[in-house]
Amino acid sequence: MACLHVYNISGTTVLELDGEERKRLRCATHFGLALKETIQRLTGTPRFRQRLFFCGHEVGGESPLPDTERMELQLVILPLRQEKSPALIHAAQLGDLTSLTSLLEDGQDPNATNGHFSPLWAAACHGRLKVVKLLLQARADMEIADVEEQRSPLLIAADHGHWDVLHHLLEERANVNHVDSRQRTPLFQAALMGAHAAVKALIQAHANLEKSVDNEIPSPLGVAAETGHLQVMQLLVQAGAKKNQPGPEGRTPLWCAAASRHLLCVRWLLREKADPELGDLEGMTPLSVAAAHGRVDVARALLTGRADVKMVDHQGRSALWTAALNCHVKMVQCLIDANADIEKADQDGVTPLQISMCAEVQQLLSEVQGRFFLALLAICLLFVCTRQSKYVNSCCIDMNIDKYLKSRHRISVIKRKNLN
């Protein structure tokens, strides 16, 4: 029976095929190449380093093998060259498959770097999918990162948006949780760029959903909220990402969405029961940051989501105080309509009316304050008219009128200082 026998220099059998298997292999476009690939699957030795000899003559590659009844081939494994050649990296960058194949068959090390990065890294960086596949056949190391930022080929593919390369590296089981010098992971980068399919693939490959090492950068959910990628956020939360996970400066995904003015993301997070009262390290809540930017639509969404309009930061500043400081008239009106405390002063005793340098805001707050004290005065007079204790009602009236007058005096003093 016709068969094929491959043995190494020591005489040990590497591969033996019977007639049917040999016939099936011969159906391949290039029998010699198919044979080397079969040997690579069995032994792990890249086909580029294999040399096959028949009766002392090299055979294989794209050249036909002799068709004899019984074929015995000797396998020789070429050692890798020790010297580094920039030609391999250059060919990988350009996507030159012919030159790359020739260099690999000449014994060039697929993992030799130029002092900065490897050929596989260069191919992933430039989106050369065919080159990536060829280098992986040559047993290129998927975890050799660049020197400057320690980015793996998988991470640099995500960084440059080469999603076909990323998917192939995932299929080859590249480290999905590699962390670079800036604490970024492939999932973080894909979420940052809003790559829905890539995020889904990374999640399926069991990527870490939370922050990598420390709080220097947001979690993937936090950066998706910050950049307004709602579909990516939905994928991450569905996979189990924490909605209230604080990131840098203690900022939650909802805080980031509010600060970046992404209304749809804010509404969706609130529907998913994200906490609207979790502030950053300074105590500034999502409502306060929306007030600082004057985003009335975001503020209304937060108020509908039961954000506390009376919450203050660590300096005692409310959302109304912040809106008044930044002269956002519509925001001030929105917060007043939500029953914000117009008299709430910060730690230094400064009220929203006193901090505002905007005439419209001052007028609005003054009118509200005036209506408040007139209403209070009317209530006190009502008590008097109903003949309650004259002494108690007199004290009540005197106290509130005095408070009103002192407030007006304080405003006048601040205005005089500003004019001077």
Side-chain angles (χ1 to χ4, degrees):
M1 181 182 289
C3 66
L4 185 148
H5 179 219
V6 180
Y7 60 93
N8 59 22
I9 293 177
S10 65
T12 305
T13 299
V14 176
L15 174 67
E16 192 167 15
L17 300 176
D18 61 23
E20 288 299 320
E21 290 173 326
R22 176 179 169 178
K23 184 178 179 181
R24 188 166 54 252
L25 200 62
R26 270 199 173 276
C27 293
T29 306
H30 303 296
F31 177 41
L33 184 61
L35 180 58
K36 287 184 177 181
E37 289 175 345
T38 302
I39 295 171
Q40 178 170 337
R41 285 194 295 272
L42 288 172
T43 65
T45 303
R47 62 180 175 86
F48 306 100
R49 295 175 57 196
Q50 299 174 27
R51 296 294 182 271
L52 294 171
F53 292 87
F54 178 74
C55 296
H57 298 285
E58 185 177 353
V59 295
E62 296 183 3
S63 60
L65 289 173
D67 191 10
T68 61
E69 184 70 16
R70 179 175 176 81
M71 184 184 301
E72 291 193 355
L73 301 177
Q74 185 182 42
L75 174 65
V76 177
I77 306 300
L78 265 63
L80 291 174
R81 292 179 178 272
Q82 296 301 315
E83 69 272 12
K84 296 180 180 179
S85 172
L88 194 64
I89 290 178
H90 186 63
Q93 288 174 325
L94 295 177
D96 187 348
L97 293 174
T98 303
S99 297
L100 194 70
T101 302
S102 177
L103 289 164
L104 290 170
E105 289 179 344
D106 192 40
Q108 292 292 333
D109 186 354
N111 293 317
T113 70
N114 60 0
H116 300 282
F117 46 80
S118 68
L120 181 60
W121 193 97
C125 182
H126 289 81
R128 310 294 188 187
L129 179 59
K130 291 182 179 179
V131 173
V132 167
K133 290 180 177 180
L134 193 67
L135 286 167
L136 289 176
Q137 289 177 13
R139 292 293 187 267
D141 190 341
M142 292 185 288
E143 304 310 322
I144 297 179
D146 69 320
V147 174
E148 282 76 14
E149 296 187 31
Q150 292 299 303
R151 293 168 295 180
S152 68
L154 182 65
L155 183 50
I156 197 63
D159 201 6
H160 285 71
H162 300 311
W163 308 122
D164 54 348
V165 173
L166 180 138
H167 282 282
H168 186 71
L169 289 169
L170 286 176
E171 289 173 3
E172 295 294 324
R173 302 197 176 186
N175 180 12
V176 73
N177 290 317
H178 178 90
V179 182
D180 70 4
S181 60
R182 293 161 61 186
Q183 308 305 321
R184 299 177 304 173
T185 63
L187 182 58
F188 172 91
Q189 204 62 29
L192 173 66
M193 299 179 73
H196 182 272
V199 168
K200 187 175 182 179
L202 287 161
I203 290 172
Q204 290 173 346
H206 307 294
N208 186 359
L209 299 176
E210 307 305 331
K211 56 185 182 295
S212 53
V213 177
D214 51 34
N215 256 354
E216 290 184 10
I217 62 171
S219 65
L221 179 59
V223 76
E226 190 175 317
T227 48
H229 299 308
L230 179 57
Q231 287 187 324
V232 170
M233 291 171 60
Q234 292 169 338
L235 268 179
L236 290 165
V237 170
Q238 186 179 8
K242 297 176 182 177
K243 299 181 287 291
N244 293 317
Q245 177 70 48
E249 307 295 328
R251 296 167 180 174
T252 64
L254 180 58
W255 197 103
C256 294
S260 301
R261 293 156 280 183
H262 296 303
L263 177 61
L264 293 178
C265 295
V266 169
R267 285 175 174 169
W268 183 80
L269 283 166
L270 290 168
R271 285 198 299 270
E272 291 295 313
K273 309 301 181 185
D275 191 342
E277 295 180 3
L278 288 177
D280 63 4
L281 294 180
E282 296 180 356
M284 195 174 194
T285 63
L287 181 60
S288 288
V289 77
H293 291 295
R295 284 304 300 260
V296 177
D297 52 352
V298 173
R300 283 175 179 159
L302 289 164
L303 290 167
T304 303
R306 298 188 178 181
D308 187 354
V309 74
K310 296 182 180 179
M311 282 193 71
V312 297
D313 63 18
H314 297 332
Q315 293 181 303
R317 297 170 179 175
S318 64
L320 179 61
W321 195 100
T322 304
L325 172 67
N326 291 279
C327 300
H328 296 309
V329 181
K330 291 182 179 180
M331 178 62 73
V332 169
Q333 183 65 66
C334 171
L335 294 168
I336 289 172
D337 293 343
N339 298 319
D341 187 354
I342 63 172
E343 283 292 299
K344 180 62 180 176
D346 67 355
Q347 286 182 344
D348 298 323
V350 180
T351 65
L353 177 58
Q354 294 166 347
I355 195 62
S356 180
M357 299 297 293
C358 175
E360 288 183 78
V361 171
Q362 289 177 349
Q363 182 180 358
L364 178 59
L365 290 170
S366 296
E367 289 175 357
V368 173
Q369 192 180 55
R371 288 198 299 270
F372 168 76
F373 283 113
L374 286 174
L376 189 61
L377 183 59
I379 292 170
C380 293
L381 289 171
L382 182 62
F383 279 133
V384 172
C385 293
T386 54
R387 298 186 181 279
Q388 297 292 328
S389 170
K390 292 183 180 181
Y391 176 76
V392 173
N393 285 295
S394 177
C395 289
C396 181
I397 294 169
D398 291 342
M399 177 186 68
N400 286 290
I401 291 175
D402 183 58
K403 181 179 179 182
Y404 176 71
L405 291 174
K406 283 182 179 179
S407 175
R408 300 303 299 172
H409 174 70
R410 220 166 34 240
I411 295 164
S412 299
V413 170
I414 288 175
K415 286 181 177 177
R416 282 199 299 272
K417 285 182 180 178
N418 291 333
L419 288 173
N420 292 333

